[in-house]
Amino acid sequence: MSSERVLILGAASAIAERTARLFAAAGAHFFLVARDPAKLEALRLDLAARGAGAVHVRAQDLAEIRAHGELLDQARAALGEIDIALLAYGVFSDQQRAERDFDEVLRVLHVNFISAASLLEVLARYFEQRGQGCIAAISSVAGDRGRQSHYIYGASKAGLDAYLQGLRNRLYLRHKRIHVLTIKPGLVATPMTRDRPKNFLFASPERVASDIETAIRRRQEVLYTPWFWRPIMATLRAIPEGLFKRLRL
Amino acid sequence: MEHLRSFSGWPPSRPARVVVLDWRHETPDWNQETFLAYGRGRSYGDCCLNENGILIATRGLDRLISFDAETGLLCCEAGATLADILRVSLPRGWFLPVSPGTQFASVGGAIANDVHGKNHHVRGTFGRWVRRFELLRSDTGRSVCSPQEHAELFQATIGGLGLTGLILWVELQLIPVPGAFLDVEALPFHGLDEFLTLSASSPAWEYTVAWADFASGRNFGRGIFLRGQHCATPAGAIEPPPSPRFTLAWVPPFPLIIGPLVRAFNVLWFQKNKAQKHSPVHYSRFFHPLDALGNWNRLYGPRGFLQYQFVVPQSGGDKACREVLDCLRRSGLDSFLSVMKVFGAVPSPGLLSFPLPGISLCLDFPAKPAVFTLLDKLDTIVLKAGGRVYPAKDARMSPASFQAFFPNWSRLENLRDPRFSSSFWRRVTGDRS
Ligand SMILES: Cc1cc2nc3c(=O)[nH]c(=O)nc-3n(C[C@H](O)[C@H](O)[C@H](O)COP(=O)(O)OP(=O)(O)OC[C@H]3O[C@@H](n4cnc5c(N)ncnc54)[C@H](O)[C@@H]3O)c2cc1C
Ligand SMILES: NC(=O)c1ccc[n+]([C@@H]2O[C@H](COP(=O)([O-])OP(=O)(O)OC[C@H]3O[C@@H](n4cnc5c(N)ncnc54)[C@H](OP(=O)(O)O)[C@@H]3O)[C@@H](O)[C@H]2O)c1
């Protein structure tokens, strides 16, 4: 198998970084996009030392939708073609702030949903034209059911989830060889959850990364990671609204 | 926030806060007191604890920076574990120059305790293989330290118990090996003299170590002497996974390591190992047999346990060891895992490095009052013999003992980062603040 060419959007995310390492060990080439040049440099050296082929980087705030088209052109020029695109960036919402300040709602929806949709649109066009490839995007179990504690974040991820369902459907009908993977992590111990008290439900980013790699290899459609979130979320979804609205989850 | 504890669970302790550093270009906000780096908590005592202070968790600093497969020079962040390094270096023919009994220690922790392995008589301590590192201090910021630049800080940081600041990255020389396996010989012995004779007759072996039965009973003092050499991976060998095969997810509410089981375990261990004479063994089985059961330390229950490792100089050391063993035997206490090793003459580079040429013995016990009394007695014997006790495994020695074991401690105190401290340091320097 020739080396895979991987585009990572939000390469500084702990989950994305651990996933990239797995592909690096197999000699993949990378185009990494993140905001902070110092982080990109640390990532570039690490992946190279782990056995990656070429590692290209670009510092970019992905909330800037206007940059997306040119970004993809640059990634294609650097890698030749793209085999796997992993969309990993995201922000958690400050629910209390969101209830007072609509700018917080706009920010979360813009980063997690609107800017992601813009990138996925650009990617879909590219993969459609190429006729093959893999789009993997990180949504969240939080999108499976809105809860009072984080429903702005949940809504942004639910939007992404529905978007990916539609995209998968659209691409399959045209090109059976394009794979769309929706990744739904549960609780992962990463900078995003730094200040939350940890319990046994938290998984390591390494564990989640290894599940993501397997799901990409097996062309899975929807990944709950770790696996036990699938039954947990099925149970939560089955609770009728009349009861659910009384719960403090 | 997670609960960061020491490997032995004793003493129980909580930091005021945990600060996680994920990137080496970041700097903690120093406007607080006091800081201490926390690697992977594989120290048995309180040198990795900072009661009421701030622990800087380095787990996220696990990136590689460069690896030259021609020369074996590897540069990585200080939170990378020995297992992380091997995963990358071994397929390209390079091994760690020094391997302690766990591969889950971080490189920063391996430097801060200047750890040793079964090849101490050939390669010396971990610090000897460190070419450079970057240190981050609250007062002077960042500096690259090596035997040439900031030599004094370089020396003080090796074996410096994390007190000179935060190590950010490390450049390390690895050693070439023909494969992932070792050619191992297991020789049963009875008593200290036979052990010393076997050690003396094995200078050509890269690795030597002995496991001994120091649980009370009639088998007291017998053991297995292991010596090994790197060899090529046997054809068709399947590499065992480096991660634990079983993990204890919870601390059982009561200790499972109790006298009769300890004695039975030691008998079984002897029987199992005396049978297999000469065989190729995967490196993880040879170096890190305990890593196969994740969190085995939890078997000791919520109260935790104590390790005790000391070294006494070659001349007169056998007499001191005999005294220690007499004392142990008379106490009737059972040591679960007991390990003996003769250290070589390769000088340790650090100001407070533990090893010196002589005999080292390592014991472990549940944390209970009778054990504290016994260990105080052993300290006296070790002190009289001119030896010392290993801080990485200590949670109880007195300030007087520590300061006599390590007369250089005041030089380390002078080079300590004024904002860094640890539970261990406050205890052994008698600082009550
Ligand atoms: C099963 C087992 C077997 C062992 N066998 C051996 C052995 O054979 N030989 C031996 O020598 N030791 C042995 N040890 C002890 C172990 O190797 C040391 O305690 C080691 O220091 C643990 O590393 P750590 O990363 O867990 O550090 P921690 O325990 O978290 O910290 C240890 C010290 O290192 C400091 N430190 C950690 N990271 C940094 C950093 N980035 N910058 C500055 N300071 C830092 C801490 O402040 C602390 O003082 C063993 C331990 C276990 C659990
Ligand atoms: N952790 C969990 O429990 C969990 C659970 C379910 C789903 N997820 C999802 O998993 C994904 C990865 O998160 P993580 O857990 O790995 O946390 P993380 O390490 O905090 O990663 C989030 C990353 O998103 C980046 N980012 C945010 N806004 C950006 C922007 N405008 N442009 C470019 N990059 C931006 C951040 O960049 P900077 O480094 O520059 O800040 C950060 O690297 C996210 O989509 C998250 O929603 C996480």
Side-chain angles (χ1 to χ4, degrees), chain A residues 10-16 34-36 39 60-63 88-91 111-112 138-141 153 157 184-193 196 202, chain B residues 23:
Chain A
S13 122
I15 294 174
R35 290 189 283 204
D36 183 340
K39 292 182 183 178
Q60 174 71 55
D61 185 333
L62 290 168
Y89 69 101
V91 289
V111 174
N112 289 357
I138 309 186
S139 172
S140 168
V141 294
Y153 177 76
K157 292 296 189 181
K184 297 187 178 185
L187 292 164
V188 195
T190 70
M192 190 173 278
T193 54
R196 301 178 54 184
F202 275 82
Chain B
W23 302 90

Side-chain angles (χ1 to χ4, degrees), chain B residues 36 105 121 161-162 165 186 201 203 218 241 264-265 284 292 300 376 397 426:
Chain B
L36 182 72
H121 59 291
L161 299 164
S201 65
R218 63 194 161 84
F265 169 83
S284 64
Y300 269 107
D376 284 344
M397 68 171 122
R426 290 187 292 274

Side-chain angles (χ1 to χ4, degrees), chain A residues 12 17-18 21 36 38-39 42-43 45-46 49-51 191 194 196-198 206, chain B residues 1-2 20 22-26 59-60 62-67 77 88 92 250:
Chain A
E17 178 176 13
R18 301 312 187 279
R21 288 181 188 176
D36 183 340
K39 292 182 183 178
L43 293 166
L45 293 173
D46 177 67
R50 286 174 198 273
R194 178 118 307 150
R196 301 178 54 184
K198 298 290 179 295
E206 286 81 8
Chain B
M1 189 179 99
E2 68 260 77
V20 184
D22 280 309
W23 302 90
R24 61 181 178 270
H25 61 271
E26 290 172 351
R59 200 188 24 218
D62 66 347
R63 295 177 194 89
L64 300 181
I65 297 170
S66 64
F67 175 55
E77 292 178 347
V88 172
R92 295 187 240 176
W250 281 285

Side-chain angles (χ1 to χ4, degrees), chain B residues 74-275:
Chain B
L74 178 132
C75 187
C76 66
E77 292 178 347
T81 65
L82 304 180
D84 289 337
I85 292 179
L86 284 176
R87 211 169 292 133
V88 172
S89 71
L90 192 52
R92 295 187 240 176
W94 295 91
F95 204 75
L96 294 161
V98 169
S99 303
T102 176
Q103 55 182 337
F104 301 128
S106 70
V107 183
I111 294 178
N113 276 318
D114 196 14
V115 303
H116 58 271
K118 301 173 177 39
N119 58 355
H120 182 270
H121 59 291
V122 187
R123 310 271 184 185
T125 59
F126 195 85
R128 281 194 68 241
W129 301 84
V130 173
R131 297 290 168 260
R132 311 189 287 158
F133 51 75
E134 186 175 35
L135 195 66
L136 172 62
R137 288 174 62 102
S138 70
D139 51 356
T140 52
R142 287 159 197 262
S143 40
V144 175
C145 306
S146 71
Q148 289 80 37
E149 319 154 79
H150 303 284
E152 206 185 13
L153 262 184
F154 182 76
Q155 200 202 2
T157 302
I158 295 176
L161 299 164
L163 298 164
T164 58
L166 179 74
I167 306 168
L168 293 169
W169 56 259
V170 179
E171 199 174 273
L172 187 67
Q173 179 62 53
L174 306 182
I175 57 169
V177 290
F181 279 68
L182 290 109
D183 188 12
V184 177
E185 236 176 66
L187 308 162
F189 66 88
H190 285 266
L192 190 65
D193 289 330
E194 281 188 35
F195 159 71
L196 292 173
T197 311
L198 280 170
S199 285
S201 65
S202 313
W205 291 81
E206 166 99 26
Y207 301 100
T208 63
V209 72
W211 158 88
D213 185 343
F214 292 139
S216 57
R218 63 194 161 84
N219 298 321
F220 190 91
R222 73 174 182 184
I224 306 279
F225 186 83
L226 294 169
R227 51 192 188 190
Q229 209 93 272
H230 288 284
C231 66
T233 307
I238 297 164
E239 310 253 316
S243 48
R245 269 160 289 177
F246 306 100
T247 296
L248 224 61
W250 281 285
V251 181
F254 47 82
L256 295 174
I257 297 184
I258 48 170
L261 286 180
V262 170
R263 292 191 282 274
F265 169 83
N266 276 276
V267 170
L268 277 178
W269 216 95
F270 183 83
Q271 298 303 346
K272 173 170 177 282
N273 282 278
K274 87 172 183 200

Side-chain angles (χ1 to χ4, degrees), chain B residues 6-8 39-44 80-87 95-96 98-111 113 115-118 126 209 242-244 283-297 305 307 309 337 339 362 390 392-393:
Chain B
S6 87
F7 193 70
S8 62
R40 300 291 170 129
R42 253 57 189 189
S43 298
Y44 287 85
T81 65
L82 304 180
D84 289 337
I85 292 179
L86 284 176
R87 211 169 292 133
F95 204 75
L96 294 161
V98 169
S99 303
T102 176
Q103 55 182 337
F104 301 128
S106 70
V107 183
I111 294 178
N113 276 318
V115 303
H116 58 271
K118 301 173 177 39
F126 195 85
V209 72
S243 48
Y283 77 87
S284 64
R285 294 247 164 86
F286 182 67
F287 291 111
H288 322 112
L290 292 171
D291 287 348
L293 176 59
N295 298 331
W296 64 268
N297 48 326
F305 64 108
Q307 272 237 345
Q309 182 175 3
L337 274 178
V339 176
C362 186
Y390 194 7
K393 302 188 173 178

Side-chain angles (χ1 to χ4, degrees), chain B residues 314-382:
Chain B
Q314 199 72 56
S315 77
D318 50 339
K319 194 173 144 274
C321 282
R322 226 163 268 134
E323 246 183 280
V324 163
L325 293 176
D326 273 352
C327 228
L328 170 61
R329 186 167 207 173
R330 267 182 280 123
S331 75
L333 294 163
D334 299 296
S335 167
F336 172 43
L337 274 178
S338 315
V339 176
M340 290 194 284
K341 159 92 196 147
V342 173
F343 287 161
V346 190
S348 302
L351 203 52
L352 256 65
S353 294
F354 161 69
L356 53 79
I359 313 166
S360 174
L361 182 58
C362 186
L363 306 165
D364 64 30
F365 305 97
K368 58 183 185 187
V371 171
F372 286 84
T373 317
L374 169 73
L375 298 184
D376 284 344
K377 258 192 241 163
L378 302 192
D379 279 355
T380 324
I381 302 173
V382 172

